[in-house]
Amino acid sequence: IIASLDTMVISFFVTGGDIRKAVAIGGFEIITKLIIYFFHERAWNYIKWGKRVEDFSHVKTVDTKRRSVAKAVTWRIFGTLDTFIISGFFTKSLKHASSIALIELLTKPLLYFLHERFWNNLMWGKR
């Protein structure tokens, strides 16, 4: 939700205030990114690097900050490609698609890192 709102705001400004294109890009991205994110997280579950065991009696694992950064970088690669393709489709402009994707390279890693740190502190869904 946060990332898609970020995309909508960026798209709105890049397209010169075209709210329909901004909502279309961000709305379609919600669907594609949920699917891509699910598989990204599943893949990272198989990678043991950067996981720390903190409680052996309950096998509680916590991601290190380096792991969170690595996940943010790999996710941004997939996310930027997705945004670029979707933006190009809706704007029919290589310039707009490139601008939206490049601006997201600045905003999204920070948002993703904060997202990871927040979820890292929750026990929901962890074994």
Side-chain angles (χ1 to χ4, degrees):
I1 292 170
I2 293 168
S4 295
L5 288 173
D6 181 54
T7 299
M8 286 182 204
V9 169
I10 292 167
S11 299
F12 178 79
F13 286 109
V14 168
T15 61
D18 190 330
I19 190 73
R20 291 194 309 196
K21 285 181 184 171
V23 170
I25 292 166
F28 194 75
E29 195 181 72
I30 290 171
I31 298 164
T32 59
K33 285 215 168 80
L34 281 173
I35 295 165
I36 296 167
Y37 186 77
F38 174 82
F39 288 108
H40 179 261
E41 284 296 306
R42 300 275 51 96
W44 271 98
N45 281 339
Y46 289 103
I47 299 170
K48 301 301 178 207
W49 172 81
K51 282 191 175 189
R52 236 181 18 239
V53 176
E54 295 217 338
D55 182 353
F56 287 103
S57 63
H58 294 93
V59 192
K60 175 186 170 193
T61 62
V62 176
D63 291 353
T64 63
K65 287 183 176 129
R66 286 184 182 185
R67 179 180 172 91
S68 292
V69 168
K71 287 176 69 176
V73 169
T74 58
W75 169 246
R76 183 65 345 241
I77 291 167
F78 290 113
T80 298
L81 285 171
D82 183 55
T83 298
F84 176 75
I85 292 166
I86 292 168
S87 297
F89 177 79
F90 284 107
T91 66
K92 308 288 189 253
S93 166
L94 184 61
K95 179 183 173 187
H96 285 159
S98 298
S99 295
I100 293 166
L102 288 173
I103 293 169
E104 282 196 352
L105 286 175
L106 302 173
T107 61
K108 292 295 196 290
L110 175 62
L111 291 172
Y112 184 84
F113 180 80
L114 295 172
H115 170 267
E116 278 293 298
R117 299 316 300 163
F118 171 80
W119 280 99
N120 193 50
N121 290 318
L122 298 181
M123 289 308 301
W124 180 64
K126 293 183 181 178
R127 291 183 205 157

